[in-house]
Amino acid sequence: MPNPERKPQRLPDFSYTGPYAYFVTLCLQNRSALFGQVIPLHEGAGVRLKGPGQMASLWLSKLEEKYPGVTLVESVVMPDHVHLVLQGAGSETDLRRMMQWFKTQTTNAYIRKVWEGVFPPFEGHLWQRSYYEHIIRNEEDLRGTCEYVQNNPLRWILKHNR
């Protein structure tokens, strides 16, 4: 059975560089829950990160170091995906490069821990091929998106009846 044709996910006439804010979701391959587990409501609701999730969180925090002028406004590492809101201040902000860098750094760090016997191996690739992105257009959109990211663990709990 042939693979279905991939639909372009990016706006064709938008460069994804410059002073914009973005909401991004990156998913682990096969939605494998390698990063942690969601804490049930009766235990306080949240995400308990395993070593791989802590590693991903660390590399998120390094985005601002690697890309001066970029602010990590909000983020959450979930068991099988990561949500983040980034805001760029100048022309050096290139979303595609930032996501490529983040995926590369986390994959390499993960593989090193697999070799050390610390992290469980993954099959094929750590991350799905692409990512979801939304260009944040105004302050109301930014507030709503940050609220979405903050409440993601609670929505997970309600969806999975925990």
Side-chain angles (χ1 to χ4, degrees), residues 78-136:
M78 297 296 291
D80 62 358
H81 65 281
V82 174
H83 289 302
L84 58 143
V85 177
L86 292 169
Q87 195 156 20
S91 60
E92 71 281 350
T93 304
D94 183 330
L95 182 65
R96 183 188 55 79
R97 280 192 177 151
M98 287 186 287
M99 295 303 96
Q100 180 181 31
W101 178 84
F102 175 76
K103 285 181 167 184
T104 299
Q105 298 309 309
T106 52
T107 299
N108 290 342
Y110 195 105
I111 289 169
R112 280 191 295 277
K113 292 295 186 182
V114 170
W115 288 343
E116 293 169 11
V118 178
F119 290 175
F122 58 87
E123 194 174 316
H125 299 278
L126 181 61
W127 296 101
Q128 287 183 4
R129 179 175 171 189
S130 193
Y131 54 87
Y132 169 82
E133 122 283 311
H134 165 74
I135 302 161
I136 296 174

Side-chain angles (χ1 to χ4, degrees), residues 35-56:
F35 285 162
Q37 61 193 42
V38 174
I39 301 167
L41 277 173
H42 68 276
E43 293 180 29
V47 181
R48 184 175 297 122
L49 296 178
K50 299 177 188 172
Q54 293 168 356
M55 176 271 305

Side-chain angles (χ1 to χ4, degrees), residues 51-97:
Q54 293 168 356
M55 176 271 305
S57 184
L58 174 69
W59 283 106
L60 277 177
S61 71
K62 292 183 180 199
L63 276 167
E64 291 176 337
E65 260 178 61
K66 173 70 177 170
Y67 297 96
V70 170
T71 303
L72 182 62
V73 179
E74 196 68 56
S75 67
V76 65
V77 177
M78 297 296 291
D80 62 358
H81 65 281
V82 174
H83 289 302
L84 58 143
V85 177
L86 292 169
Q87 195 156 20
S91 60
E92 71 281 350
T93 304
D94 183 330
L95 182 65
R96 183 188 55 79
R97 280 192 177 151

